[in-house]
């Protein structure tokens, strides 16, 4: 039972991270129907920006928590700028082109960014400073680290902020309108290019936050770290019903749980396989996901 | 081009460069021991000079100053393509084939090595071309079949001592079965979802190869796989291996050519252009899509068995997603559905980078950038297939 609860806590932590990445996929897919392959690279870039900024700031004698907060904000901003640049260069000119062209352009961008990270940061793992992450407490036989609490709290905070942005502000209303019908929303005076760029920026910002948290949780970052979590987060987005924000959260938690429980009870080596099997199973039996609406045939 | 347009162009260029600097500096300039500027500005300087040069060139070209050079060049290409149209096909093919046969006699070991990988990728590219180019099914896990073929030969020859020539068809059949297994659940999907599911399958196969210790020896791979043997002659030298893969590539080219112009090929093309319409016209889309997967996988299986024999070693890291993306890029770059296009694409992505060995670190960076750039400027590829339409749902 203790083991079960411990795994449950670990699963929630990991699931929260997947949910944050999945939100970017789901928002971008919802608005321009494109699988943004480069999204995993925004996540990796966020992780790297985090380690770069935290090491610089802490060497300047800044308080570790202030360090973390500043780095978080700056890396989210950095990834937002990166995502907007990628969108302008690689996706915007292809709005009218075939879906295949846009998908391959995204794939090319993913490889480009991954190697850009490798060339500037090196091929080896870059360790995160550990003074922030250490520590924790125990309830009975279950141990919870401060890091896990931080991850869950931050995920919850970002989700609430995103919900307010999407459902309570003018920008959010414009986003939802654009996702529903680009032409009509343009007719009522919404600048859809700006809204799309903004969606990319918000999604990448969330991915950057997830990147820092994963870096802190596992203690290091690597330039290839974006690929597998990126795919799992996409699986989470599909599982929850792509284009649906609540769905991304639910999907992320499910994928995180499945991975942790599969690693704990079945086999650690095959844990990644289960995420893919879920993805394939969902797409096969219910392509609209748990919370998705019915999507017409040409879309899927 | 008016002055106003030109101003806008230069403004966009300036904003882009400023943005690039903003993105580049934090990566290169913030070190744990302090801020640094020289490295960033060196890189930025190169990029800025290149960008300004390209912009200048573009403007000069738009203004028509280059017509003096461009028009004769265009005429020359036109004349060349007309000559190509007129020349008998058998003559051209004969020349190419003769050059390919003579090639190892006049070159060195390193050139053999490059030629062998070019030919392996030609087999792979043409196999994927069936799935993506002809049937229009985007497959991001294609390299899994290559892996299945390679491991089939490795395991059968090490454990049971079967010969290469016997394993070759077995590897192809097992890869084709794997293709059907993967293809079956994806038949109901289209477009993006299909791509992501095939990617998932590719990763599952790689993870199985990596973790099934008792069969595949896990991450260590399988060592000392024997080279092929024919009537007592062992293909030990690289040049003899070159002839084996040349033969395989020629068979692949012929088979794909014949398939392309058969009823099956036409049915695939009909599915690619409009699946619903094809079904209404009596094409059995279910069977034909499955067949496309199986045929594509067959050629990957051949190539895989050869790869295992050539390297004498197989390991799971040869079959990653990046390899799938590479093969896909070759098909797209050359021109989907076009055999000479795919061959050109392979040459562009395998042979050209060999000439720039000094820049090897930048190879994948350029590769990713080129893939995006290609989609922006010439989405149909270098040598587009003749019979391509637009999918009905994309027509404007």
């Amino acid at each position: 039972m203790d083991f079960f609860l411990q795994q449950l806590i670990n699963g929630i932590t990991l699931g929260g991270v997947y949910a944050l990445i999945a939100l970017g996929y789901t928002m971008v897919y919802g608005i321009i129907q494109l699988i943004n392959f480069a999204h995993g690279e925004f996540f990796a870039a966020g992780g790297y920006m985090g380690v770069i900024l935290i090491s610089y700031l802490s060497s300047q004698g800044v308080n570790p928590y202030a360090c973390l907060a500043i780095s978080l904000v700056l890396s989210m901003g950095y990834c937002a700028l990166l995502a907007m640049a990628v969108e302008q260069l690689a996706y915007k000119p292809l709005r009218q082109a075939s879906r295949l062209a846009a998908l391959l352009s995204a794939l090319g961008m993913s490889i480009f960014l991954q190697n850009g990270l490798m060339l500037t940061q090196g091929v080896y793992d870059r360790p995160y400073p550990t003074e922030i992450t250490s520590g924790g407490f125990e309830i009975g036989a279950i141990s919870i680290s401060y890091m896990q609490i931080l991850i869950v709290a931050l995920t919850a905070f970002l989700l609430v902020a995103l919900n307010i942005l999407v459902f309570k502000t003018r920008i959010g209303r414009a986003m939802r309108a654009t996702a529903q019908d680009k032409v009509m929303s343009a007719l009522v005076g919404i600048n859809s290019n700006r809204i799309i760029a903004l969606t990319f920026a918000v999604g990448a910002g969330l991915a950057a936050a997830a990147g820092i948290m994963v870096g802190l949780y596992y203690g290091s970052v690597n330039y290839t770290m974006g690929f597998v979590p990126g795919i799992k987060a996409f699986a989470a987005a599909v599982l929850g019903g792509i284009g649906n924000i609540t769905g991304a959260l639910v999907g992320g938690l499910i994928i995180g749980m499945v991975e942790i429980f599969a690693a704990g009870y079945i086999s650690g080596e095959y844990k990644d396989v289960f995420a893919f099997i879920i993805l394939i199973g969902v797409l096969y039996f219910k392509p609209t996901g748990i919370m998705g609406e019915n999507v017409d045939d040409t879309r899927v | 081009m008016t002055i106003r347009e030109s101003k806008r162009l230069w403004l966009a260029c300036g904003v882009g460069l400023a943005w690039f600097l903003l993105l580049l500096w934090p990566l290169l300039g913030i070190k744990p021991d302090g801020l640094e500027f020289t490295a960033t500005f060196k890189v930025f300087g190169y990029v800025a000079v290149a960008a300004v040069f390209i912009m200048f060139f573009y403007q000069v070209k738009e203004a028509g100053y280059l017509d003096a050079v461009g028009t004769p060049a265009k005429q020359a290409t036109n004349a060349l393509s007309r000559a190509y149209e007129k020349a008998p096909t058998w003559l051209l093919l004969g020349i190419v084939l003769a050059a390919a046969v003579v090639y190892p006699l006049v070159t060195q070991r390193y050139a053999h090595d490059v030629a062998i990988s070019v030919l392996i990728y030609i087999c792979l590219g043409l196999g994927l071309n069936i799935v993506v180019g002809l049937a229009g099914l985007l497959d991001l896990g294609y390299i899994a079949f290559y892996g299945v073929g390679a491991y089939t030969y490795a395991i059968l020859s090490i454990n049971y001592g079967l010969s290469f020539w016997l394993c070759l068809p077995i590897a192809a059949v097992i890869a084709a079965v794997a293709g059907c297994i993967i293809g079956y659940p994806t038949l109901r999907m289209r477009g993006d979802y299909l791509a992501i599911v095939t990617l998932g399958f590719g990763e599952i196969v790689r993870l199985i190869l990596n973790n099934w210790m008792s069969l595949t020896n896990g991450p260590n791979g399988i060592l000392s796989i024997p080279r092929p043997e024919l009537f007592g002659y062992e293909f030990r030298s690289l040049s003899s291996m070159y002839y084996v893969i040349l033969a395989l590539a020629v068979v692949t080219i012929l088979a794909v050519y014949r398939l392309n112009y058969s009823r099956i090929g036409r049915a695939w093309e009909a599915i690619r252009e409009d699946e619903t319409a094809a079904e209404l016209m009596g094409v059995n889309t279910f069977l034909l899509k499955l067949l496309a997967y199986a045929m594509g996988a067959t050629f990957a299986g051949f190539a895989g068995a050869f790869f295992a024999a050539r390297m004498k070693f197989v390991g799971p890291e040869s079959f990653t997603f990046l390899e799938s993306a590479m093969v896909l890029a070759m098909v797209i770059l050359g021109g989907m559905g076009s055999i000479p296009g795919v061959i050109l694409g392979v040459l562009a992505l395998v042979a050209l980078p060999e000439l720039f060995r000094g820049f090897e670190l930048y190879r994948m960076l350029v590769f990713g950038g080129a893939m995006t750039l290609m989609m922006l400027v010439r989405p149909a590829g270098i040598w587009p297939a003749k019979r391509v339409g637009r999918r009905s749902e994309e027509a404007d």
Side-chain angles (χ1 to χ4, degrees):
Chain A
M1 191 62 199
D2 285 342
F3 184 65
F4 177 82
L5 283 175
Q6 181 73 59
Q7 296 294 79
L8 193 70
I9 289 165
N10 295 345
I12 290 174
T13 316
L14 193 64
V17 172
Y18 286 154
L20 279 185
I21 315 174
L23 282 168
Y25 272 116
T26 238
M27 287 167 70
V28 166
Y29 196 93
I31 212 157
I32 55 172
Q33 277 81 50
L34 165 77
I35 300 175
N36 181 16
F37 269 108
H39 195 67
E41 267 56 55
F42 300 150
F43 160 79
Y48 264 108
M49 266 347 271
V51 76
I52 289 170
L53 289 166
I54 289 176
S55 3
Y56 173 69
L57 289 173
S58 57
S59 78
Q60 299 296 308
V62 181
N63 172 310
Y65 292 99
C67 233
L68 181 61
I70 296 170
S71 315
L72 198 64
V73 172
L74 286 180
S75 346
M76 285 171 78
Y78 179 85
C79 285
L81 285 181
L82 181 66
M84 279 155 89
V86 167
E87 196 269 330
Q88 286 289 317
L89 284 176
Y91 304 146
K92 194 181 165 199
L94 290 171
R95 292 273 161 74
Q96 308 302 325
S98 75
R99 303 277 296 276
L100 185 64
L103 201 67
L104 288 164
S105 179
L107 201 57
M109 264 299 134
S110 163
I111 296 170
F112 180 85
L113 291 176
Q114 195 181 79
N115 283 275
L117 269 183
M118 184 197 81
L119 287 170
T120 52
Q121 306 299 316
V123 290
Y124 302 108
D125 284 5
R126 184 99 188 256
Y128 254 82
T130 47
E131 67 257 38
I132 310 168
T133 55
S134 58
F137 55 87
E138 297 196 354
I139 307 170
I142 309 156
S143 66
I144 301 172
S145 69
Y146 293 135
M147 195 56 234
Q148 286 178 317
I149 294 178
L150 183 69
I151 290 178
V152 172
L154 197 61
T155 307
F157 169 75
L158 288 171
L159 280 171
V160 170
L162 182 74
N163 245 312
I164 291 172
L165 176 76
V166 172
F167 292 104
K168 296 276 190 282
T169 61
R170 279 176 66 89
I171 294 170
R173 205 174 335 151
M175 271 181 185
R176 283 178 288 141
T178 312
Q180 212 156 54
D181 192 328
K182 261 200 277 308
V183 179
M184 285 311 283
S185 59
L187 277 177
V188 297
I190 294 170
N191 183 342
S192 68
N193 280 336
R194 197 174 294 163
I195 292 299
I196 291 168
L198 197 75
T199 309
F200 267 85
V202 171
L206 296 174
I212 292 189
M213 288 189 274
V214 164
L216 285 167
Y217 193 53
Y218 290 113
S220 69
V221 284
N222 187 282
Y223 74 101
T224 54
M225 72 189 261
F227 177 63
V228 172
I231 297 303
K232 284 183 194 155
F234 183 77
V238 170
L239 179 60
I242 199 141
N244 185 315
I245 290 177
T246 326
L249 173 66
V250 173
L253 286 175
I254 293 176
I255 295 276
M257 296 282 186
V258 165
E259 183 178 333
I260 293 285
F261 279 102
Y265 287 100
I266 306 172
S267 144
E269 281 128 19
Y270 286 102
K271 68 180 163 67
D272 288 351
V273 172
F274 294 101
F276 294 128
I277 289 176
I278 290 181
L279 174 67
I280 293 162
V282 169
L283 286 180
Y284 186 67
F285 292 109
K286 196 170 184 325
T288 52
I290 300 172
M291 308 195 127
E293 299 136 34
N294 280 324
V295 187
D296 61 303
D297 198 29
T298 53
R299 267 201 188 178
V300 292
Chain B
M1 181 183 286
T2 62
I3 291 178
R4 196 156 163 196
E5 276 173 336
S6 149
K7 261 189 190 159
R8 264 181 59 187
L9 212 63
W10 283 99
L11 187 70
C13 178
V15 171
L17 281 175
W19 204 307
F20 175 65
L21 184 64
L22 204 63
L23 291 175
L24 186 69
W25 179 72
L27 285 177
L28 285 173
I30 305 178
K31 303 269 184 242
D33 42 1
L35 302 179
E36 207 231 12
F37 294 93
T38 44
T40 316
F41 280 97
K42 212 171 127 197
V43 176
F44 179 71
Y46 288 136
V47 174
V49 167
V52 169
F53 181 76
I54 291 169
M55 285 285 294
F56 182 72
F57 186 78
Y58 176 72
Q59 264 207 320
V60 169
K61 181 178 159 282
E62 288 291 297
Y65 292 122
L66 288 182
D67 286 355
V69 191
T71 321
K74 198 172 251 173
Q75 276 168 353
T77 8
N78 281 348
L80 213 64
S81 68
R82 245 176 316 192
Y84 168 77
E85 297 279 333
K86 267 188 207 150
T89 320
W90 60 264
L91 186 70
L92 291 172
L93 288 180
I95 292 169
V96 172
L97 200 61
V101 169
V102 175
Y103 178 80
L105 305 176
V106 295
T107 50
Q108 297 298 311
R109 194 189 148 79
Y110 174 67
H112 298 167
D113 214 40
V114 175
I116 287 176
S117 40
V118 165
L119 288 168
I120 290 179
Y121 278 111
I122 285 180
C123 292
L124 283 176
L126 287 173
L128 185 60
N129 180 46
I130 295 177
V131 185
V132 181
L134 294 184
L137 307 160
L138 184 54
D139 187 349
L140 292 180
Y142 183 67
I143 216 71
F145 309 128
Y146 183 49
V148 168
Y151 269 92
T152 305
Y153 173 56
I155 290 163
L156 289 180
S157 68
I158 291 282
N159 294 349
Y160 305 102
L162 295 184
S163 86
F164 176 77
W165 306 105
L166 187 62
C167 288
L168 203 58
I170 299 176
V173 168
I174 292 184
V177 170
C180 289
I181 294 171
I182 291 176
Y184 180 74
T186 63
L187 289 177
R188 285 167 40 175
M189 300 163 195
R190 290 183 188 180
D192 306 341
Y193 279 13
L194 177 68
I196 210 85
V197 165
T198 50
L199 193 161
F201 269 121
E203 282 295 298
I204 289 177
V205 169
R206 190 183 62 82
L207 286 165
I208 290 172
L209 293 180
N210 205 8
N211 291 313
W212 194 348
M213 287 302 286
S214 57
L215 186 71
T216 65
N217 200 19
N220 303 327
I222 299 174
L223 283 161
S224 56
I225 298 162
R227 284 272 163 91
E229 225 174 89
L230 194 63
F231 307 122
Y233 174 74
E234 200 190 345
F235 290 84
R236 197 172 291 139
S237 71
L238 261 188
S239 54
S240 61
M241 284 303 274
Y242 169 85
Y243 286 112
V244 175
I245 187 68
L246 182 65
L248 273 179
V250 169
V251 169
T252 310
I253 291 171
L254 282 177
V256 174
Y257 178 82
R258 299 288 296 166
L259 273 174
N260 192 354
Y261 289 96
S262 66
R263 283 175 66 89
I264 293 172
R266 283 172 199 280
W268 279 333
E269 284 181 324
I271 293 173
R272 177 188 70 199
E273 299 301 330
D274 192 327
E275 197 173 327
T276 318
E279 193 151 18
L280 283 173
M281 296 308 288
V283 174
N284 187 342
T285 53
F286 176 83
L287 214 61
L288 280 160
K289 278 159 87 177
L290 209 57
L291 188 65
Y293 272 111
M295 287 310 299
T298 305
F299 294 114
F302 280 135
F306 176 82
F307 173 77
R310 185 252 170 280
M311 300 305 286
K312 297 183 169 176
F313 166 77
V314 285
E317 69 275 19
S318 310
F319 310 108
T320 57
F321 168 69
L322 208 58
E323 285 287 308
S324 280
M326 279 275 268
V327 179
L328 184 66
M330 288 162 190
V331 175
I332 307 289
L333 185 73
M336 286 192 304
S338 139
I339 294 172
V342 172
I343 295 172
L344 270 182
V346 172
L347 283 171
L349 287 179
V350 182
L352 270 188
E354 295 295 331
L355 300 178
F356 302 103
R357 266 283 169 208
F359 300 99
E360 199 176 359
L361 269 178
Y362 301 93
R363 196 177 143 195
M364 289 313 285
L365 185 83
V366 173
F367 169 73
M371 200 158 155
T372 297
L373 194 67
M374 197 70 194
M375 283 303 116
L376 297 180
V377 296
R378 205 181 159 92
I382 305 172
W383 189 320
K386 282 188 190 123
R387 294 183 297 172
V388 200
R390 279 173 76 101
R391 291 188 73 96
S392 59
E393 68 246 31
E394 282 160 4
D396 36 18

